[in-house]
Amino acid sequence: YKAKDRVLADCEELITAVRSLTPKVGNLVLNNGDQHTLLNLQGTIPMYVNQTKYNCPLVIWIHVNYPAVPPTTYVSPTRDMQIKPRHTNVDAAGFVYLQYLTQWNPTCSLKALCDTLSNVFSKDPP
């Protein structure tokens, strides 16, 4: 990782705020077939629907050029969950589309991403 200190600081900030997320290392296969071994954070973030808390399962992949490059984020439903068809922010494969990610810049953070996801998913659960 080019910005190791920033990756570590952002991951620590997020894990401290959202204790259900766990750091792991895994292989991310891109649409073009390229495969990368990357740090990722797996677990759940809270979302609130009708004042009831639900846990949305996520995997956040941290690219080697982070924070210059936004993380790749997927909703990862359990076996008994489904992604809502034609969801505005999540495709059928779980890939997350979010304005925060498309407008990503190096001042953005993983914690702010998860806060945004939690707010968006509370309004429209995937």
Side-chain angles (χ1 to χ4, degrees):
Y1 283 87
K2 295 182 178 182
K4 291 177 190 163
D5 291 343
R6 173 67 189 276
V7 169
L8 181 61
D10 280 11
C11 287
E12 284 181 345
E13 176 189 36
L14 180 56
I15 291 167
T16 300
V18 184
R19 298 220 173 253
S20 60
L21 292 172
T22 305
K24 300 189 185 254
V25 173
N27 291 320
L28 175 65
V29 180
L30 303 176
N31 288 339
N32 64 7
D34 287 351
Q35 185 171 317
H36 300 276
T37 302
L38 299 172
L39 172 67
N40 65 78
L41 299 170
Q42 297 181 24
T44 61
I45 60 166
M47 60 182 185
Y48 298 88
V49 180
N50 297 325
Q51 300 174 344
T52 301
K53 179 183 174 186
Y54 295 91
N55 296 310
C56 182
L58 285 182
V59 180
I60 302 169
W61 294 90
I62 315 299
H63 292 275
V64 293
N65 293 327
Y66 180 89
V69 173
T72 297
T73 307
Y74 286 92
V75 171
S76 58
T78 61
R79 270 185 242 136
D80 58 338
M81 295 172 73
Q82 287 184 355
I83 294 171
K84 185 188 299 181
R86 294 175 298 286
H87 190 276
T88 306
N89 300 100
V90 182
D91 71 13
F95 185 83
V96 174
Y97 298 89
L98 202 61
Q99 186 173 4
Y100 188 81
L101 290 168
T102 58
Q103 295 179 351
W104 184 272
N105 66 70
T107 65
C108 294
S109 73
L110 297 174
K111 183 176 181 312
L113 168 62
C114 284
D115 290 344
T116 302
L117 285 168
S118 184
N119 287 332
V120 168
F121 291 166
S122 290
K123 292 174 186 155
D124 184 18

